[in-house]
Coordinates of all heavy atoms in Angstrom, one line a residue:
D332 N 12.7 21.1 -15.7 CA 11.7 21.9 -16.4 C 11.3 21.2 -17.7 O 12.2 21.0 -18.6 CB 12.3 23.3 -16.7 CG 11.3 24.2 -17.4 OD1 10.1 23.8 -17.6 OD2 11.6 25.4 -17.7
P333 N 10.0 20.9 -17.9 CA 9.6 20.2 -19.1 C 10.0 21.0 -20.4 O 10.1 20.4 -21.5 CB 8.1 20.1 -19.0 CG 7.9 20.1 -17.5 CD 8.9 21.0 -16.9
S334 N 10.1 22.3 -20.3 CA 10.4 23.1 -21.5 C 11.8 22.8 -22.0 O 12.1 23.2 -23.1 CB 10.2 24.6 -21.2 OG 11.1 25.0 -20.1
S335 N 12.6 22.2 -21.2 CA 13.9 21.8 -21.6 C 13.9 20.8 -22.7 O 14.9 20.5 -23.4 CB 14.8 21.4 -20.5 OG 14.3 20.2 -19.9
L336 N 12.8 20.1 -22.8 CA 12.6 19.1 -23.9 C 11.7 19.6 -24.9 O 10.5 19.8 -24.6 CB 12.1 17.8 -23.3 CG 13.1 16.9 -22.4 CD1 12.3 15.8 -21.8 CD2 14.3 16.5 -23.2
E337 N 12.2 19.9 -26.1 CA 11.3 20.5 -27.1 C 10.1 19.6 -27.5 O 9.0 20.1 -27.7 CB 12.2 20.7 -28.4 CG 11.4 21.3 -29.6 CD 12.3 21.5 -30.8 OE1 13.5 21.2 -30.7 OE2 11.8 21.9 -31.8
S338 N 10.3 18.3 -27.4 CA 9.2 17.4 -27.8 C 8.0 17.4 -26.8 O 6.9 17.0 -27.1 CB 9.7 16.0 -28.0 OG 10.3 15.5 -26.8
L339 N 8.3 17.9 -25.5 CA 7.3 18.0 -24.5 C 6.5 19.3 -24.6 O 5.5 19.4 -23.9 CB 7.9 17.8 -23.1 CG 8.4 16.5 -22.7 CD1 8.9 16.5 -21.3 CD2 7.3 15.4 -22.8
Q340 N 6.9 20.2 -25.4 CA 6.2 21.5 -25.4 C 4.8 21.4 -26.0 O 3.9 22.2 -25.6 CB 7.0 22.5 -26.2 CG 8.3 22.9 -25.5 CD 9.1 23.9 -26.3 OE1 8.7 24.4 -27.3 NE2 10.3 24.3 -25.8
N341 N 4.6 20.4 -26.9 CA 3.3 20.3 -27.5 C 2.4 19.2 -26.7 O 1.3 18.9 -27.2 CB 3.4 19.8 -28.9 CG 4.1 20.9 -29.8 OD1 3.9 22.1 -29.5 ND2 4.9 20.4 -30.7
M342 N 2.9 18.7 -25.6 CA 2.2 17.7 -24.8 C 1.4 18.4 -23.7 O 2.0 19.3 -23.0 CB 3.1 16.7 -24.3 CG 2.4 15.6 -23.4 SD 3.6 14.4 -22.7 CE 4.2 13.6 -24.2
P343 N 0.2 18.0 -23.4 CA -0.6 18.6 -22.3 C 0.2 18.4 -21.0 O 0.7 17.3 -20.8 CB -1.9 17.9 -22.3 CG -2.0 17.3 -23.7 CD -0.7 17.1 -24.2
G344 N 0.3 19.4 -20.2 CA 1.1 19.3 -19.0 C 0.3 18.7 -17.8 O -0.9 18.6 -17.8
I345 N 1.0 18.2 -16.8 CA 0.4 17.7 -15.6 C 0.9 18.6 -14.5 O 2.0 18.8 -14.2 CB 0.9 16.2 -15.3 CG1 0.5 15.3 -16.4 CG2 0.4 15.8 -13.9 CD1 1.0 13.9 -16.2
K346 N -0.1 19.2 -13.8 CA 0.2 20.2 -12.8 C 0.4 19.4 -11.4 O -0.3 18.4 -11.2 CB -1.0 21.2 -12.6 CG -1.2 22.0 -13.9 CD -2.3 23.0 -13.7 CE -2.6 23.8 -14.9 NZ -3.7 24.8 -14.7
S347 N 1.3 19.9 -10.6 CA 1.6 19.3 -9.4 C 1.0 20.0 -8.2 O 1.2 19.6 -7.0 CB 3.1 19.2 -9.1 OG 3.7 20.5 -9.2
E348 N 0.2 21.1 -8.4 CA -0.5 21.8 -7.3 C -1.4 20.9 -6.6 O -2.1 20.0 -7.2 CB -1.2 23.0 -7.9 CG -0.3 24.2 -8.3 CD 0.3 23.9 -9.6 OE1 0.0 23.0 -10.3 OE2 1.2 24.7 -10.0
P349 N -1.6 21.1 -5.3 CA -2.4 20.2 -4.4 C -3.8 19.9 -4.9 O -4.3 18.8 -4.7 CB -2.3 20.8 -3.0 CG -1.1 21.7 -3.1 CD -0.9 22.2 -4.5
L350 N -4.5 21.0 -5.4 CA -5.9 20.9 -5.7 C -6.2 20.6 -7.1 O -7.4 20.7 -7.6 CB -6.6 22.1 -5.2 CG -6.5 22.5 -3.7 CD1 -7.3 23.8 -3.4 CD2 -7.1 21.4 -2.9
C351 N -5.2 20.2 -7.9 CA -5.4 20.0 -9.3 C -6.1 18.6 -9.7 O -6.5 18.4 -10.8 CB -4.1 20.1 -10.1 SG -3.5 21.8 -10.2
S352 N -6.1 17.7 -8.7 CA -6.7 16.4 -8.9 C -7.3 15.9 -7.7 O -6.9 16.1 -6.6 CB -5.6 15.4 -9.4 OG -6.1 14.1 -9.5
N353 N -8.5 15.2 -7.9 CA -9.1 14.5 -6.7 C -8.8 13.0 -6.7 O -9.5 12.3 -6.0 CB -10.6 14.8 -6.7 CG -11.3 14.2 -8.0 OD1 -10.6 13.8 -8.9 ND2 -12.6 14.2 -8.0
I354 N -7.9 12.6 -7.6 CA -7.5 11.2 -7.7 C -6.1 11.0 -7.2 O -5.8 10.2 -6.3 CB -7.6 10.7 -9.1 CG1 -9.1 10.8 -9.6 CG2 -7.1 9.2 -9.2 CD1 -9.3 10.4 -11.0
Y355 N -5.2 11.8 -7.7 CA -3.7 11.6 -7.4 C -3.3 12.8 -6.5 O -3.6 13.9 -6.7 CB -2.9 11.5 -8.6 CG -3.1 10.3 -9.5 CD1 -3.3 10.3 -10.8 CD2 -3.1 9.0 -8.8 CE1 -3.5 9.2 -11.6 CE2 -3.3 7.9 -9.6 CZ -3.5 8.0 -10.9 OH -3.7 6.8 -11.7
S356 N -2.4 12.5 -5.5 CA -1.8 13.5 -4.7 C -0.8 14.3 -5.5 O -0.4 13.9 -6.6 CB -1.2 12.9 -3.5 OG 0.0 12.1 -3.8
R357 N -0.3 15.3 -4.9 CA 0.7 16.2 -5.5 C 2.0 15.3 -5.8 O 2.6 15.5 -6.9 CB 1.1 17.3 -4.6 CG 2.2 18.2 -5.2 CD 2.5 19.4 -4.2 NE 2.8 18.9 -2.9 CZ 3.0 19.7 -1.8 NH1 2.9 21.0 -2.0 NH2 3.4 19.2 -0.7
Y358 N 2.3 14.4 -4.9 CA 3.5 13.6 -5.0 C 3.4 12.5 -6.1 O 4.3 12.2 -6.9 CB 3.9 13.0 -3.7 CG 3.9 14.0 -2.6 CD1 2.8 14.0 -1.6 CD2 4.9 14.9 -2.5 CE1 2.8 14.9 -0.6 CE2 4.9 15.9 -1.5 CZ 3.8 15.9 -0.5 OH 3.8 16.8 0.5
E359 N 2.1 12.0 -6.2 CA 1.9 11.0 -7.3 C 2.0 11.7 -8.7 O 2.5 11.1 -9.6 CB 0.5 10.4 -7.1 CG 0.5 9.4 -5.9 CD -0.9 9.0 -5.5 OE1 -1.8 9.9 -5.3 OE2 -1.2 7.8 -5.4
R360 N 1.5 13.0 -8.7 CA 1.5 13.7 -10.0 C 3.0 14.0 -10.4 O 3.4 14.1 -11.5 CB 0.7 14.9 -10.0 CG -0.8 14.6 -9.8 CD -1.7 15.8 -10.2 NE -1.5 16.9 -9.3 CZ -2.1 17.0 -8.1 NH1 -2.8 16.0 -7.6 NH2 -1.9 18.1 -7.4
T361 N 3.8 14.3 -9.3 CA 5.2 14.5 -9.6 C 5.9 13.3 -10.2 O 6.7 13.4 -11.1 CB 6.0 14.8 -8.3 OG1 5.4 16.0 -7.7 CG2 7.5 15.0 -8.5
V362 N 5.5 12.1 -9.7 CA 6.0 10.8 -10.4 C 5.5 10.7 -11.8 O 6.3 10.3 -12.7 CB 5.5 9.6 -9.5 CG1 5.9 8.3 -10.2 CG2 6.2 9.7 -8.1
L363 N 4.2 11.1 -12.1 CA 3.7 11.0 -13.4 C 4.5 12.0 -14.4 O 4.8 11.6 -15.5 CB 2.2 11.4 -13.5 CG 1.3 10.4 -12.9 CD1 -0.2 10.9 -12.9 CD2 1.3 9.1 -13.8
I364 N 4.9 13.2 -13.9 CA 5.7 14.1 -14.6 C 7.0 13.5 -15.0 O 7.5 13.6 -16.1 CB 5.9 15.4 -13.9 CG1 4.5 16.1 -13.7 CG2 6.9 16.3 -14.6 CD1 4.6 17.4 -12.8
W365 N 7.6 12.8 -14.0 CA 8.9 12.1 -14.1 C 8.8 11.0 -15.2 O 9.7 10.9 -16.0 CB 9.3 11.6 -12.8 CG 10.6 10.7 -12.8 CD1 11.8 11.1 -13.0 CD2 10.6 9.3 -12.5 NE1 12.7 10.1 -12.9 CE2 12.0 8.9 -12.6 CE3 9.7 8.4 -12.2 CZ2 12.4 7.6 -12.4 CZ3 10.1 7.1 -12.0 CH2 11.4 6.7 -12.1
L366 N 7.7 10.2 -15.1 CA 7.5 9.2 -16.1 C 7.4 9.8 -17.5 O 8.0 9.2 -18.5 CB 6.2 8.4 -15.8 CG 6.3 7.5 -14.5 CD1 4.9 6.9 -14.2 CD2 7.3 6.4 -14.7
N367 N 6.6 10.8 -17.7 CA 6.5 11.5 -19.0 C 7.8 12.0 -19.5 O 8.1 11.8 -20.7 CB 5.5 12.6 -18.9 CG 4.0 12.2 -19.0 OD1 3.5 11.8 -20.1 ND2 3.3 12.1 -17.9
K368 N 8.5 12.6 -18.7 CA 9.8 13.2 -19.1 C 10.8 12.1 -19.5 O 11.4 12.2 -20.6 CB 10.4 14.0 -17.9 CG 11.8 14.5 -18.1 CD 12.8 13.7 -17.4 CE 14.2 14.2 -17.7 NZ 15.3 13.4 -17.0
N369 N 10.9 11.1 -18.7 CA 11.9 10.0 -19.1 C 11.5 9.2 -20.3 O 12.3 8.8 -21.1 CB 12.1 9.1 -17.9 CG 13.2 9.6 -16.9 OD1 14.1 10.4 -17.4 ND2 13.1 9.2 -15.7
Y370 N 10.2 9.0 -20.4 CA 9.7 8.2 -21.6 C 10.0 9.0 -22.9 O 10.5 8.5 -23.8 CB 8.2 7.9 -21.5 CG 7.7 7.2 -22.7 CD1 8.0 5.8 -22.9 CD2 6.9 7.9 -23.6 CE1 7.5 5.2 -24.1 CE2 6.4 7.2 -24.8 CZ 6.7 5.9 -25.0 OH 6.3 5.3 -26.1
E371 N 9.6 10.3 -22.9 CA 9.8 11.1 -24.1 C 11.3 11.3 -24.4 O 11.7 11.3 -25.6 CB 9.1 12.4 -24.0 CG 9.1 13.2 -25.2 CD 8.5 12.5 -26.4 OE1 7.6 11.7 -26.3 OE2 9.0 12.7 -27.6
K372 N 12.0 11.4 -23.4 CA 13.5 11.6 -23.6 C 14.2 10.4 -24.1 O 15.1 10.5 -25.0 CB 14.1 12.0 -22.3 CG 15.6 12.2 -22.3 CD 16.2 12.5 -21.0 CE 17.7 12.6 -21.0 NZ 18.3 12.9 -19.6
N373 N 13.7 9.2 -23.7 CA 14.4 7.9 -24.0 C 13.8 7.0 -25.1 O 14.5 6.1 -25.5 CB 14.6 7.1 -22.7 CG 15.5 7.8 -21.7 OD1 16.6 8.2 -22.0 ND2 15.0 7.9 -20.5
R374 N 12.6 7.2 -25.5 CA 12.0 6.3 -26.4 C 12.7 6.2 -27.7 O 12.8 5.1 -28.3 CB 10.5 6.7 -26.6 CG 10.2 8.0 -27.3 CD 8.7 8.3 -27.4 NE 8.5 9.6 -28.1 CZ 8.4 9.7 -29.4 NH1 8.4 8.7 -30.2 NH2 8.2 10.9 -29.9
K375 N 13.2 7.3 -28.2 CA 14.0 7.3 -29.5 C 15.4 6.8 -29.3 O 16.0 6.3 -30.3 CB 14.0 8.7 -30.1 CG 12.7 9.3 -30.5 CD 12.8 10.7 -31.1 CE 11.4 11.2 -31.4 NZ 11.5 12.6 -32.0
I376 N 15.9 6.8 -28.1 CA 17.2 6.2 -27.8 C 17.2 4.7 -27.6 O 17.9 4.0 -28.2 CB 17.8 6.9 -26.6 CG1 18.0 8.4 -26.8 CG2 19.2 6.3 -26.2 CD1 18.4 9.2 -25.6
V377 N 16.2 4.3 -26.7 CA 16.1 2.9 -26.4 C 15.8 2.0 -27.5 O 16.3 0.9 -27.7 CB 15.1 2.7 -25.2 CG1 14.9 1.2 -24.9 CG2 15.5 3.5 -24.0
W378 N 14.8 2.5 -28.4 CA 14.3 1.6 -29.5 C 14.7 2.1 -30.9 O 14.0 1.8 -31.8 CB 12.8 1.5 -29.3 CG 12.4 0.8 -28.1 CD1 12.5 -0.6 -27.9 CD2 11.9 1.3 -26.9 NE1 12.1 -1.0 -26.7 CE2 11.7 0.2 -26.0 CE3 11.6 2.6 -26.4 CZ2 11.2 0.3 -24.7 CZ3 11.1 2.7 -25.1 CH2 11.0 1.6 -24.2
K379 N 15.8 2.8 -31.0 CA 16.2 3.3 -32.3 C 16.7 2.1 -33.1 O 16.6 2.1 -34.4 CB 17.4 4.3 -32.2 CG 18.6 3.8 -31.6 CD 19.6 5.0 -31.5 CE 20.9 4.5 -30.8 NZ 21.7 3.5 -31.6
D380 N 17.1 1.0 -32.5 CA 17.5 -0.2 -33.2 C 16.5 -1.4 -32.9 O 16.9 -2.5 -32.8 CB 18.9 -0.6 -32.8 CG 20.0 0.4 -33.2 OD1 19.8 1.0 -34.3 OD2 20.9 0.7 -32.4
S381 N 15.3 -1.0 -32.6 CA 14.3 -2.0 -32.2 C 14.2 -3.2 -33.2 O 14.2 -3.0 -34.4 CB 12.9 -1.4 -32.0 OG 11.9 -2.3 -31.8
Q382 N 14.0 -4.4 -32.6 CA 13.9 -5.5 -33.5 C 12.4 -5.9 -33.7 O 12.1 -6.8 -34.5 CB 14.5 -6.8 -32.8 CG 16.0 -6.6 -32.6 CD 16.6 -7.7 -31.8 OE1 15.9 -8.6 -31.4 NE2 18.0 -7.7 -31.6
R383 N 11.5 -5.1 -33.0 CA 10.1 -5.5 -33.1 C 9.2 -4.3 -33.2 O 8.4 -4.0 -32.3 CB 9.7 -6.4 -31.8 CG 10.5 -7.6 -31.7 CD 10.1 -8.4 -30.5 NE 10.9 -9.6 -30.3 CZ 10.7 -10.8 -30.8 NH1 9.6 -11.0 -31.5 NH2 11.5 -11.8 -30.5
G384 N 9.3 -3.5 -34.2 CA 8.3 -2.5 -34.5 C 8.9 -1.1 -34.6 O 8.1 -0.1 -34.8
G385 N 10.1 -0.8 -34.4 CA 10.7 0.5 -34.5 C 10.4 1.4 -33.3 O 10.1 0.9 -32.2
I386 N 10.6 2.7 -33.4 CA 10.4 3.6 -32.3 C 8.9 3.7 -31.9 O 8.1 4.0 -32.7 CB 11.0 5.0 -32.6 CG1 12.5 4.9 -32.9 CG2 10.7 6.0 -31.5 CD1 13.1 6.2 -33.4
P387 N 8.6 3.5 -30.6 CA 7.2 3.7 -30.2 C 6.7 5.1 -30.3 O 7.5 6.0 -30.3 CB 7.3 3.2 -28.7 CG 8.7 3.5 -28.2 CD 9.5 3.2 -29.5
S388 N 5.4 5.2 -30.4 CA 4.8 6.5 -30.6 C 4.9 7.4 -29.3 O 5.0 6.8 -28.2 CB 3.4 6.4 -31.0 OG 2.6 5.7 -30.1
M389 N 4.7 8.7 -29.4 CA 4.6 9.6 -28.3 C 3.3 9.3 -27.5 O 2.3 8.9 -28.1 CB 4.6 11.0 -28.8 CG 4.7 12.1 -27.7 SD 4.7 13.7 -28.5 CE 4.9 14.7 -27.1
R390 N 3.4 9.4 -26.2 CA 2.2 9.2 -25.4 C 2.1 10.1 -24.2 O 3.2 10.7 -23.8 CB 2.1 7.8 -24.9 CG 3.2 7.4 -24.0 CD 2.9 6.0 -23.4 NE 3.1 4.9 -24.4 CZ 3.0 3.6 -24.1 NH1 2.7 3.2 -22.8 NH2 3.1 2.7 -25.0
W391 N 0.9 10.4 -23.7 CA 0.7 11.2 -22.5 C 0.4 10.2 -21.4 O -0.7 9.6 -21.4 CB -0.4 12.2 -22.7 CG -0.5 13.2 -21.6 CD1 0.4 13.7 -20.8 CD2 -1.7 13.9 -21.3 NE1 -0.1 14.6 -19.9 CE2 -1.4 14.8 -20.2 CE3 -3.1 13.9 -21.7 CZ2 -2.3 15.6 -19.6 CZ3 -4.0 14.7 -21.1 CH2 -3.6 15.5 -20.1
I392 N 1.2 10.1 -20.4 CA 1.1 9.2 -19.3 C 0.3 9.9 -18.1 O 0.8 10.8 -17.5 CB 2.4 8.7 -18.8 CG1 3.2 8.1 -20.0 CG2 2.3 7.6 -17.7 CD1 4.7 8.1 -19.8
V393 N -0.9 9.4 -17.9 CA -1.7 10.1 -16.9 C -2.2 9.2 -15.8 O -2.9 9.6 -14.8 CB -3.0 10.7 -17.6 CG1 -2.5 11.8 -18.5 CG2 -3.8 9.7 -18.3
N394 N -1.8 7.9 -15.8 CA -2.2 7.0 -14.7 C -1.2 5.9 -14.5 O -0.2 5.8 -15.3 CB -3.6 6.4 -15.0 CG -3.6 5.6 -16.3 OD1 -2.9 4.7 -16.5 ND2 -4.5 6.0 -17.2
F395 N -1.3 5.1 -13.5 CA -0.3 4.1 -13.1 C -0.8 2.7 -13.5 O -0.1 1.7 -13.1 CB 0.0 4.2 -11.6 CG 0.6 5.5 -11.2 CD1 -0.1 6.5 -10.6 CD2 2.0 5.7 -11.4 CE1 0.5 7.7 -10.2 CE2 2.6 6.9 -11.0 CZ 1.8 7.9 -10.4
D396 N -1.9 2.6 -14.2 CA -2.3 1.2 -14.5 C -2.3 1.0 -16.0 O -1.4 0.4 -16.6 CB -3.7 0.9 -13.9 CG -4.7 2.0 -14.0 OD1 -4.4 2.9 -14.9 OD2 -5.7 2.0 -13.3
Q397 N -3.3 1.6 -16.8 CA -3.4 1.4 -18.2 C -2.2 1.8 -19.0 O -1.7 1.2 -19.9 CB -4.6 2.1 -18.7 CG -6.0 1.5 -18.2 CD -6.2 0.1 -18.7 OE1 -5.9 -0.3 -19.8 NE2 -6.7 -0.7 -17.8
D398 N -1.6 3.0 -18.6 CA -0.5 3.6 -19.3 C 0.8 2.8 -19.1 O 1.8 3.1 -19.8 CB -0.3 5.0 -19.0 CG -1.5 5.9 -19.5 OD1 -2.2 5.4 -20.4 OD2 -1.7 7.0 -19.0
L399 N 0.9 1.9 -18.1 CA 2.1 1.2 -17.9 C 2.0 -0.3 -18.2 O 3.0 -1.0 -18.0 CB 2.5 1.3 -16.4 CG 2.6 2.7 -15.8 CD1 3.1 2.7 -14.4 CD2 3.6 3.6 -16.6
L400 N 0.9 -0.7 -18.8 CA 0.6 -2.1 -19.0 C 1.6 -2.8 -20.0 O 2.0 -3.9 -19.8 CB -0.8 -2.3 -19.6 CG -1.9 -2.3 -18.5 CD1 -3.3 -2.5 -19.2 CD2 -1.7 -3.5 -17.5
D401 N 2.0 -2.0 -21.0 CA 2.9 -2.7 -22.0 C 4.3 -2.7 -21.7 O 5.1 -3.2 -22.4 CB 2.7 -2.0 -23.4 CG 3.0 -0.5 -23.4 OD1 3.7 -0.1 -22.4 OD2 2.7 0.2 -24.4
G402 N 4.7 -2.2 -20.5 CA 6.1 -2.2 -20.1 C 7.1 -1.2 -20.7 O 8.2 -1.1 -20.2
L403 N 6.6 -0.5 -21.7 CA 7.5 0.4 -22.4 C 7.9 1.6 -21.6 O 9.1 2.0 -21.6 CB 6.9 0.9 -23.7 CG 6.6 -0.2 -24.8 CD1 5.9 0.4 -26.0 CD2 7.9 -0.9 -25.2
V404 N 6.9 2.2 -20.9 CA 7.2 3.3 -20.0 C 8.2 3.0 -18.9 O 9.2 3.7 -18.6 CB 5.9 3.9 -19.4 CG1 6.2 5.0 -18.4 CG2 5.0 4.4 -20.5
L405 N 8.0 1.8 -18.3 CA 8.9 1.4 -17.2 C 10.3 1.1 -17.7 O 11.3 1.3 -17.1 CB 8.3 0.2 -16.5 CG 7.0 0.4 -15.7 CD1 6.5 -0.9 -15.1 CD2 7.2 1.5 -14.6
A406 N 10.3 0.5 -18.9 CA 11.6 0.2 -19.5 C 12.4 1.4 -19.8 O 13.6 1.5 -19.6 CB 11.4 -0.6 -20.8
A407 N 11.7 2.5 -20.2 CA 12.4 3.8 -20.5 C 12.9 4.4 -19.2 O 14.0 5.0 -19.3 CB 11.4 4.7 -21.2
Q408 N 12.2 4.2 -18.1 CA 12.8 4.7 -16.8 C 14.0 3.9 -16.4 O 15.0 4.5 -16.0 CB 11.7 4.5 -15.7 CG 10.3 5.0 -16.0 CD 10.2 6.3 -16.6 OE1 10.8 7.3 -16.1 NE2 9.5 6.4 -17.7
I409 N 14.0 2.6 -16.5 CA 15.1 1.8 -16.2 C 16.3 2.1 -17.1 O 17.5 2.2 -16.6 CB 14.8 0.3 -16.2 CG1 13.7 0.0 -15.2 CG2 16.0 -0.6 -15.9 CD1 13.1 -1.4 -15.3
A410 N 16.0 2.3 -18.4 CA 17.1 2.6 -19.3 C 17.8 3.9 -19.0 O 19.0 4.1 -19.3 CB 16.6 2.6 -20.7
S411 N 17.1 4.8 -18.3 CA 17.7 6.1 -17.9 C 18.9 5.9 -17.0 O 19.9 6.6 -17.0 CB 16.7 7.0 -17.2 OG 15.7 7.3 -18.1
Y412 N 18.8 4.8 -16.2 CA 19.8 4.6 -15.1 C 20.7 3.4 -15.5 O 21.8 3.3 -14.9 CB 19.1 4.4 -13.8 CG 18.2 5.5 -13.4 CD1 16.9 5.5 -13.7 CD2 18.7 6.6 -12.8 CE1 16.0 6.5 -13.3 CE2 17.9 7.7 -12.4 CZ 16.6 7.6 -12.7 OH 15.8 8.7 -12.4
C413 N 20.2 2.5 -16.3 CA 20.9 1.3 -16.7 C 20.9 1.1 -18.2 O 20.3 0.2 -18.8 CB 20.3 0.0 -16.0 SG 20.1 0.1 -14.2
P414 N 21.6 2.0 -18.9 CA 21.5 2.0 -20.4 C 22.1 0.7 -21.0 O 21.8 0.4 -22.1 CB 22.3 3.2 -20.8 CG 23.2 3.6 -19.6 CD 22.4 3.2 -18.4
Y415 N 23.0 0.0 -20.2 CA 23.5 -1.2 -20.7 C 22.5 -2.3 -20.9 O 22.8 -3.3 -21.6 CB 24.6 -1.7 -19.8 CG 24.2 -1.9 -18.4 CD1 23.6 -3.0 -17.9 CD2 24.4 -0.8 -17.4 CE1 23.2 -3.2 -16.6 CE2 24.0 -1.0 -16.1 CZ 23.4 -2.1 -15.7 OH 23.0 -2.3 -14.4
L416 N 21.3 -2.1 -20.4 CA 20.2 -3.1 -20.6 C 19.5 -3.0 -21.9 O 18.8 -3.9 -22.3 CB 19.2 -3.0 -19.5 CG 19.6 -3.4 -18.1 CD1 18.5 -3.1 -17.1 CD2 20.0 -4.9 -18.0
I417 N 19.8 -1.9 -22.6 CA 19.1 -1.6 -23.9 C 19.4 -2.7 -24.9 O 18.5 -3.3 -25.5 CB 19.5 -0.2 -24.4 CG1 18.9 0.9 -23.5 CG2 18.9 0.0 -25.8 CD1 19.3 2.3 -23.9
P418 N 20.7 -3.0 -25.3 CA 21.0 -4.0 -26.3 C 20.7 -5.4 -25.9 O 20.5 -6.3 -26.7 CB 22.5 -3.7 -26.6 CG 23.0 -3.2 -25.3 CD 21.9 -2.3 -24.8
T419 N 20.7 -5.7 -24.6 CA 20.6 -7.0 -24.1 C 19.1 -7.4 -23.9 O 18.7 -8.6 -23.9 CB 21.4 -7.3 -22.8 OG1 20.9 -6.4 -21.8 CG2 22.9 -7.1 -23.1
H420 N 18.3 -6.4 -23.6 CA 16.9 -6.7 -23.2 C 15.9 -5.8 -24.0 O 15.0 -6.4 -24.7 CB 16.7 -6.4 -21.7 CG 17.4 -7.4 -20.8 ND1 18.8 -7.3 -20.6 CD2 17.0 -8.4 -20.1 CE1 19.1 -8.3 -19.8 NE2 18.1 -9.0 -19.4
F421 N 16.0 -4.5 -23.9 CA 14.8 -3.7 -24.3 C 14.6 -3.6 -25.8 O 13.5 -3.4 -26.2 CB 15.0 -2.3 -23.7 CG 15.1 -2.2 -22.2 CD1 15.9 -1.4 -21.5 CD2 14.3 -3.1 -21.5 CE1 15.9 -1.3 -20.2 CE2 14.3 -3.1 -20.1 CZ 15.1 -2.2 -19.4
I422 N 15.6 -3.8 -26.6 CA 15.4 -3.8 -28.1 C 14.6 -4.9 -28.5 O 14.1 -4.9 -29.7 CB 16.7 -3.7 -28.9 CG1 17.5 -4.9 -28.6 CG2 17.5 -2.4 -28.5 CD1 18.7 -5.0 -29.6

Side-chain angles (χ1 to χ4, degrees):
D332 182 2
S334 63
S335 63
L336 290 174
E337 181 179 353
S338 57
L339 285 182
Q340 292 182 1
N341 297 325
M342 179 182 292
I345 296 176
K346 298 180 180 180
S347 60
E348 286 76 9
L350 300 179
C351 288
S352 173
N353 62 351
I354 298 177
Y355 292 131
S356 68
R357 177 179 59 185
Y358 311 106
E359 290 169 307
R360 294 196 299 278
T361 299
V362 174
L363 287 174
I364 294 172
W365 174 69
L366 291 173
N367 277 283
K368 173 256 178 184
N369 272 335
Y370 176 75
E371 185 56 34
K372 177 183 177 181
N373 292 309
R374 66 184 178 89
K375 295 180 181 179
I376 299 174
V377 176
W378 291 285
K379 64 182 178 67
D380 298 320
S381 170
Q382 301 174 357
R383 300 179 185 273
I386 296 174
S388 59
M389 186 179 184
R390 67 171 68 176
W391 188 28
I392 304 156
V393 296
N394 57 61
F395 295 101
D396 43 19
Q397 294 296 320
D398 291 342
L399 305 184
L400 278 179
D401 60 12
L403 296 175
V404 175
L405 293 177
Q408 315 310 310
I409 299 173
S411 298
Y412 305 95
C413 306
Y415 54 86
L416 293 174
I417 295 174
T419 59
H420 292 76
F421 298 143
I422 63 170

